[in-house]
Amino acid sequence: MALLQISEPGMSTNPHEQRLAVGIDLGTTNSLVASVRSGVAETLADDEGRHILPSVVRYIKDTDVVVGEAAKTVAADDPLNTIASVKRLMGRGIGDLKTVAGHVPYEFAGTDSSVPRIRTVVGEVSPIEVSSEILKALKARAEQTLGGELAGVVITVPAYFDDAQRQATKDAARLAGLNVFRLLNEPTAAAVAYGLDQGTEGVIAVFDLGGGTFDVSILRLNKGVFEVLATGGDTALGGDDFDRAIAGWLMEQAGIADDAGHKQMRRLMRDACAAKETLTRQEDADIKLELADGSHWQGQLTREQFNRLIEPFTKKALAACRRALRDAGVSKQDVIDVVMVGGSTRVPNVREQVGEFFGKPPLVDIDPDKVVAIGAAIQADILAGNKPDDEMLLLDVIPLSLGLETMGGLVEKVINRNTTIPVAKAQEFTTYKDGQTAMAIHIVQGERELVDDCRSLARFELRDIPPMVAGQPRIRVTFQIDADGLLNVTAEELTSGVQAGVEVKPSYGLTDNEIETMLKDSMAYAQDDMEQRRLREQQVEADRVIEALDAALAVDGKLLLSEDEYAAIISARDMLIEVRQGNDANAIKQAIKQIEKTSEDYVARRMNRSIQQAMAGHKVEEFE
Amino acid sequence: MVIDASRNYFELFDFSESFDIDASVLADKYRELQSLTHPDRYANASDQERRLAVQAASYINEAFQILKQPQSRARYLLSLKGVVFNDETDTAADTEFLMEQIELREALEEAAQKDDPLARLDELASEISGRSDALIQAFREQFINDDTVAAKETVLKMRFLQRLHHEIDRLAEQFEDELL
């Protein structure tokens, strides 16, 4: 479970305690929550037996927020207050709305924040808040079904999501009061759901065509380790495009004007979607439309015509597959399995095209709508520590290159796309003015050479640089990407050893202060609740720290620590046990910090030792 | 840094400092180290441990990347021997080699005018791969003979070919985009 226990694999100090954990597929069109119960991963249903929660949120004046089916059914009647496909807006800026939101009917408020806000009857809401409502609904469903508080969740995101989109997802989870174990790429989750780690070794392609996003991932499986070799895709390609293509065709056929009202557009999209679903079962679909003047239009869409309408999209998807294969350095022939994910892979033409491209029939046994949530649940169960013997490990890559703006608006790549994460790269900078104490770094994501063609990620301002002659300071800036694909920047002036302060201004995200404010404003967190919650969190953390420390000390405390070091750690431990009995969350937090500080070297020594032991073990094996 | 930085990448993976390493042994050891240090193993651990795990896993990833590719491995081996590389001023001096580079660059530019530019790019890519293999062979001998001056020149040549390869990939992507 923890670093301090690594030399005793499989050892659990509390074997009977099952921690509740769920996997959440936070989709553009639909969302699901799944959990492993009695060894089986399954999606959880609501009171009425429905597993799928439409990702639709409706804001109603003076009452609660409505999420899911109830919101979806009235979407056409209350389009401005009913938010669908909010995932498309996650991590996006005001400037993106023209392209991203071309077809969404909401009204956006002018704002000085970098995050767009949708105007509703209850006021302005950000996409992050809308998403958090969906997560809250799933959390409530899970806690009711499982009968307890969730220890943590795994939330899936498209592999192609950039840093801003991932951060926005994590922020939404924080607003919903969820502890995120990991953001997991959707295709990886799908491969896990198929249990492809059991036995098979080789290259797997995951073709994930959802409502709003398309992802293709090339994975390599080897002895229980999933390695994402490459990912590709398009954050604006999916079944919604099929619906729109049909809707466009219908408008043409029925003579509906381009400036049709919100309500009519909604209805048209619904009819288009229904026709698409009919065409997965039948060769043609009969369509009847009610026009604005009350008259009706009737017609037929054949599967052949439909295939032609979606051809630009299937072509785009296959081109992304080709590129992902090349990025991965493998050929089509190397692919042993193709996993199909997302409701849009029910379209027969999509299955045919994919089968033809890879030269083998794709896997379609698990419900393509549920497969991602199921995989996420399996991973959540492992991360919660419920399966200490499980060796499965998911190694992920960064989907887009990370670069710095240099002179003349050019990009200097710091970390290339498809590099395995976590990863850290350090770069040295210097000042160009005498006595300069601050400097700005602009970070972008993307593959192009010009800053303007890439996506701005954040501006970091380095402060507290000791004043020196121009060119003399050596400022080492470390770009650290964690296992969720999120960037963290630290900076140090090497000649003086001074740690520079780093202030982040996300280009398309909320600052920490904005999130804090939202948390405080949130009705779910009355003041008392907040404090109770904080205390409980700190107590749980304290128990975890003590438990792990005791287990570690029993194994090698005497071996790796001097007497003085050992005594110092014990005294910090006793202090924590004492304050743990009280009601002061801050005091517990401080005591935990103190233990961490005191035992930092010890923890590092243990990790080094376990690495050396592992490699030494190898040597023995190779000679045997 | 949690990992003992006085140990180099070869020591980390328990290899001797030689150019030839068994790729499958490297991959196995890499996976084993990742399963010890990956942050997922510390989902329930304290913040401090998670931070250390991120750093350790990053270091192992970096080491693996450097050792995996013969080009970066060669360069790293030389830097362990005290050879200094300066990316802005160092360049290969061999005129014959430089002439070949110019010809290859020209061939690359002309590829765009061919009927099937992607096929032509594939051809050029395999030609460059052949030359890379020859350089790898040359480095192996130079390194064994402790001829660091020649070995450094070879590493610089490798860099030329790597850049050409990137250029080919970039062009291929452009043509693919146009086909859509």
Side-chain angles (χ1 to χ4, degrees):
Chain A
M1 155 175 128
L3 173 60
L4 290 162
Q5 297 181 346
I6 46 186
S7 44
E8 296 289 310
M11 184 189 76
S12 169
T13 39
N14 203 348
H16 300 298
E17 184 197 15
Q18 282 285 313
R19 295 153 59 86
L20 299 181
V22 297
I24 291 177
D25 174 3
L26 185 60
T28 307
T29 317
N30 295 312
S31 296
L32 291 107
V33 58
S35 187
V36 175
R37 291 195 286 175
S38 317
V40 181
E42 53 193 6
T43 53
L44 307 178
D46 65 7
D47 293 339
E48 294 173 48
R50 294 176 300 212
H51 290 250
I52 286 175
L53 180 77
S55 305
V56 184
V57 177
R58 184 185 180 205
Y59 291 91
I60 306 169
K61 202 171 177 59
D62 300 330
T63 44
D64 223 1
V65 181
V66 178
V67 182
E69 204 60 52
K72 189 184 173 185
T73 46
V74 298
D77 304 319
D78 189 15
L80 296 183
N81 298 308
T82 312
I83 320 296
S85 296
V86 72
K87 191 171 170 180
R88 280 188 188 274
L89 303 175
M90 294 288 272
R92 296 277 148 174
I94 315 263
D96 298 315
L97 293 181
K98 281 178 216 79
T99 47
V100 175
H103 296 271
V104 297
Y106 326 117
E107 287 174 3
F108 291 95
T111 158
D112 25 316
S113 169
S114 55
V115 172
R117 284 173 203 277
I118 305 161
R119 204 172 277 149
T120 73
V121 283
V122 300
E124 293 165 9
V125 293
S126 70
I128 293 169
E129 288 163 285
V130 178
S131 286
S132 84
E133 295 298 341
I134 300 168
L135 290 172
K136 279 180 203 166
L138 294 171
K139 179 187 182 215
R141 182 192 293 186
E143 292 188 334
Q144 198 188 342
T145 313
L146 303 175
E149 208 174 312
L150 299 180
V153 298
V154 168
I155 300 179
T156 58
V157 290
Y160 212 58
F161 254 24
D162 65 24
D163 181 280
Q165 293 166 306
R166 283 166 200 267
Q167 189 61 57
T169 306
K170 226 175 165 177
D171 289 341
R174 201 168 143 201
L175 280 182
L178 290 168
N179 171 35
V180 180
F181 282 147
R182 170 87 115 95
L183 297 179
L184 183 63
N185 285 333
E186 289 161 6
T188 312
V192 172
Y194 269 98
L196 294 179
D197 53 322
Q198 315 286 326
T200 30
E201 290 198 354
V203 178
I204 288 167
V206 182
F207 186 98
D208 180 350
L209 191 60
T213 51
F214 170 66
D215 274 308
V216 54
S217 287
I218 310 298
L219 317 180
R220 191 195 296 284
L221 293 183
N222 198 319
K223 297 178 182 132
V225 176
F226 276 79
E227 207 172 333
V228 179
L229 297 178
T231 71
D234 193 329
T235 52
L237 175 66
D240 295 351
D241 292 307
F242 296 180
D243 296 351
R244 267 194 291 277
I246 296 176
W249 180 81
L250 286 173
M251 286 169 78
E252 219 174 86
Q253 300 292 312
I256 299 170
D258 278 347
D259 56 355
H262 288 326
K263 276 191 186 179
Q264 195 178 6
M265 279 308 293
R266 289 262 189 182
R267 234 179 287 140
L268 203 57
M269 288 294 282
R270 208 165 50 192
D271 292 332
C273 185
K276 175 185 72 180
E277 284 171 14
T278 306
L279 287 173
T280 64
R281 301 181 301 269
Q282 292 166 210
E283 285 297 321
D284 36 54
D286 294 321
I287 304 165
K288 196 177 170 188
L289 298 180
E290 192 191 319
L291 302 181
D293 60 5
S295 68
H296 289 85
W297 175 88
Q298 209 164 344
Q300 195 183 55
L301 178 63
T302 64
R303 198 185 267 181
E304 209 187 318
Q305 177 65 34
F306 172 60
N307 292 350
R308 272 202 296 278
L309 286 174
I310 64 170
E311 198 185 317
F313 307 113
T314 47
K315 264 197 163 167
K316 235 178 165 174
L318 291 180
C321 291
R322 208 176 301 131
R323 180 162 301 178
L325 285 170
R326 204 189 37 243
D327 278 354
V330 298
S331 69
K332 287 183 202 175
Q333 289 73 34
D334 297 327
V335 176
I336 54 168
D337 274 314
V338 183
V339 174
M340 294 295 256
V341 186
S344 306
T345 59
R346 288 201 180 89
V347 173
N349 186 247
V350 171
R351 289 186 181 181
E352 283 159 24
Q353 299 269 343
V354 170
E356 207 173 293
F357 178 82
F358 286 101
K360 54 184 62 70
L363 297 175
V364 293
D365 300 338
I366 303 179
D367 184 338
D369 286 321
K370 293 182 178 173
V371 62
V372 166
I374 287 172
I378 294 171
Q379 171 75 347
D381 192 46
I382 292 171
L383 295 186
N386 293 336
K387 292 178 81 179
D389 296 329
D390 200 298
E391 291 290 303
M392 186 176 83
L393 183 65
L394 305 179
L395 299 181
D396 243 321
V397 296
I398 176 176
L400 299 164
S401 299
L402 196 78
L404 300 173
E405 174 169 355
T406 62
M407 301 287 242
L410 294 175
V411 178
E412 183 188 336
K413 297 252 175 80
V414 181
I415 301 173
N416 286 317
R417 74 161 178 229
N418 290 326
T419 300
T420 309
I421 49 175
V423 65
K425 282 277 156 75
Q427 198 115 341
E428 272 187 38
F429 296 87
T430 190
T431 51
Y432 63 93
K433 266 197 256 166
D434 287 347
Q436 188 179 339
T437 59
M439 67 173 16
I441 298 176
H442 182 204
I443 302 190
V444 298
Q445 267 192 308
E447 312 312 316
R448 306 283 293 276
E449 284 161 28
L450 295 176
V451 167
D452 289 346
D453 295 332
C454 288
R455 198 158 176 80
S456 175
L457 184 53
R459 286 170 199 277
F460 290 86
E461 216 163 271
L462 307 184
R463 296 180 185 283
D464 321 322
I465 300 168
M468 286 184 230
V469 180
Q472 199 193 0
R474 289 171 54 215
I475 304 149
R476 191 219 297 271
V477 179
T478 305
F479 304 92
Q480 171 80 66
I481 297 185
D482 67 15
D484 290 329
L486 297 174
L487 175 69
N488 184 35
V489 173
T490 50
E492 186 189 7
E493 201 288 302
L494 294 176
T495 58
S496 64
V498 171
Q499 198 78 26
V502 180
E503 195 191 323
V504 192
K505 286 192 189 121
S507 305
Y508 303 105
L510 299 173
T511 62
D512 274 353
N513 283 339
E514 284 175 296
I515 297 268
E516 280 300 327
T517 311
M518 282 183 186
L519 269 173
K520 283 197 189 112
D521 292 349
S522 167
M523 293 296 285
Y525 291 88
Q527 192 62 26
D528 285 355
D529 282 0
M530 278 280 264
E531 271 162 27
Q532 274 303 317
R533 196 187 157 84
R534 255 172 55 77
L535 177 62
R536 203 165 55 244
E537 275 172 6
Q538 291 305 325
Q539 285 172 337
V540 169
E541 175 71 7
D543 292 345
R544 199 182 289 164
V545 167
I546 293 165
E547 192 183 291
L549 183 64
D550 286 352
L553 288 174
V555 175
D556 54 20
K558 299 272 186 218
L559 191 73
L560 296 177
L561 291 167
S562 73
E563 262 176 52
D564 287 352
E565 289 169 331
Y566 195 93
I569 288 177
I570 292 295
S571 118
R573 173 189 173 279
D574 292 345
M575 171 64 91
L576 176 60
I577 288 175
E578 197 184 312
V579 295
R580 159 74 178 81
Q581 311 304 328
N583 294 321
D584 186 346
N586 274 332
I588 300 175
K589 196 173 176 181
Q590 284 310 315
I592 291 173
K593 277 235 167 77
Q594 187 54 41
I595 279 207
E596 290 188 347
K597 222 176 115 198
T598 317
S599 62
E600 189 157 14
D601 281 349
Y602 176 46
V603 172
R605 268 178 234 166
R606 298 197 89 225
M607 191 176 265
N608 270 315
R609 185 161 167 265
S610 69
I611 287 169
Q612 275 164 356
Q613 280 176 340
M615 291 300 98
H618 244 285
K619 208 181 251 165
V620 175
E621 275 167 38
E622 278 148 33
F623 282 111
E624 270 171 1
Chain B
M1 175 55 66
V2 53
I3 302 244
D4 184 358
S6 63
R7 285 157 60 219
N8 68 43
Y9 296 158
F10 287 94
E11 287 164 346
L12 173 68
F13 283 94
D14 202 34
F15 281 122
S16 62
E17 282 174 36
S18 65
F19 182 62
D20 287 302
I21 55 179
D22 185 328
S24 71
V25 173
L26 175 68
D28 280 352
K29 289 182 171 186
Y30 165 70
R31 286 190 197 97
E32 197 170 334
L33 287 183
Q34 276 296 339
S35 58
L36 283 174
T37 57
H38 194 277
D40 276 1
R41 294 284 189 248
Y42 306 100
N44 291 304
S46 66
D47 288 349
Q48 176 199 33
E49 285 171 285
R50 273 200 295 263
R51 239 178 3 253
L52 287 173
V54 168
Q55 287 175 8
S58 301
Y59 184 74
I60 289 160
N61 273 331
E62 171 72 12
F64 178 59
Q65 288 308 322
I66 294 286
L67 294 189
K68 194 170 71 169
Q69 301 291 337
Q71 290 85 357
S72 51
R73 187 166 68 236
R75 183 180 164 136
Y76 183 67
L77 267 176
L78 288 183
S79 67
L80 289 180
K81 288 206 169 259
V83 176
V84 178
F85 287 88
N86 184 329
D87 282 333
E88 269 153 38
T89 54
D90 282 344
T91 185
D94 181 342
T95 19
E96 196 188 329
F97 176 81
L98 291 174
M99 286 306 289
E100 277 173 21
Q101 291 305 299
I102 292 170
E103 282 162 23
L104 281 169
R105 287 254 161 212
E106 281 167 1
L108 205 56
E109 276 161 32
E110 284 159 15
Q113 272 78 52
K114 303 280 181 198
D115 290 341
D116 189 351
L118 282 170
R120 177 66 185 135
L121 288 176
D122 282 349
E123 266 173 44
L124 284 171
S126 66
E127 193 180 330
I128 288 172
S129 295
R131 289 174 196 229
S132 290
D133 291 346
L135 287 179
I136 289 167
Q137 185 56 34
F139 179 87
R140 182 176 286 124
E141 281 163 28
Q142 290 156 351
F143 186 74
I144 289 169
N145 297 329
D146 218 16
D147 187 351
T148 47
V149 176
K152 180 179 177 181
E153 172 85 6
T154 306
V155 168
L156 294 174
K157 287 179 182 174
M158 287 173 175
R159 198 178 62 179
F160 266 98
L161 294 184
Q162 266 183 308
R163 283 186 184 156
L164 264 179
H165 219 155
H166 288 152
E167 189 61 18
I168 289 177
D169 284 346
R170 206 180 58 80
L171 279 172
E173 285 187 8
Q174 266 179 22
F175 287 124
E176 278 172 8
D177 285 344
E178 280 167 24
L179 286 177
L180 288 175

